[in-house]
Amino acid sequence: FILAFVTAGEIVWSTLQHKLVPRELLGRVSSVDWFVSTSLIPVSFVLVGPIAESAGADATLAGAGALGAAGMLVFILLPKIGELTPTDSSSEAASRPNMA
């Protein structure tokens, strides 16, 4: 069940990257995205262990869920988030046929 949400999120994120990032920067942006995402995993392990020990596993999971929901809500409520449009080079790249 959770895997479906993770997959859906990955599809949306990848689509946004391809629509909003210029084609010539897509590799760099994707690399930085993966680097930051994977480098924060050990940091989360270091932080969550002591928190779960002091507050309990249930409270830690509830708190993490609340923080994640609050973070998403902040981004959803940003006024300009609905106005995002593709950059000129990425929309141009999307409209031309693939010659590879």
Side-chain angles (χ1 to χ4, degrees):
F1 183 69
I2 292 175
L3 185 59
F5 288 114
V6 171
T7 302
E10 185 63 34
I11 290 169
V12 170
W13 183 247
S14 294
T15 301
L16 283 173
Q17 276 187 333
H18 282 85
K19 284 190 170 221
L20 299 176
V21 175
R23 188 174 185 179
E24 62 273 7
L25 297 176
L26 191 57
R28 291 180 184 156
V29 169
S30 181
S31 294
V32 169
D33 173 44
W34 275 104
F35 175 73
V36 170
S37 296
T38 56
S39 65
L40 290 177
I41 291 172
V43 174
S44 73
F45 291 162
V46 167
L47 294 175
V48 169
I51 293 171
E53 189 174 327
S54 65
D58 290 341
T60 302
L61 287 172
L67 283 173
M72 290 304 298
L73 188 60
V74 167
F75 283 104
I76 289 171
L77 295 176
L78 288 173
K80 300 241 178 206
I81 202 76
E83 300 172 14
L84 291 174
T85 56
T87 60
D88 291 330
S89 62
S90 64
S91 61
E92 179 183 300
S95 65
R96 70 176 170 239
N98 187 0
M99 302 303 255

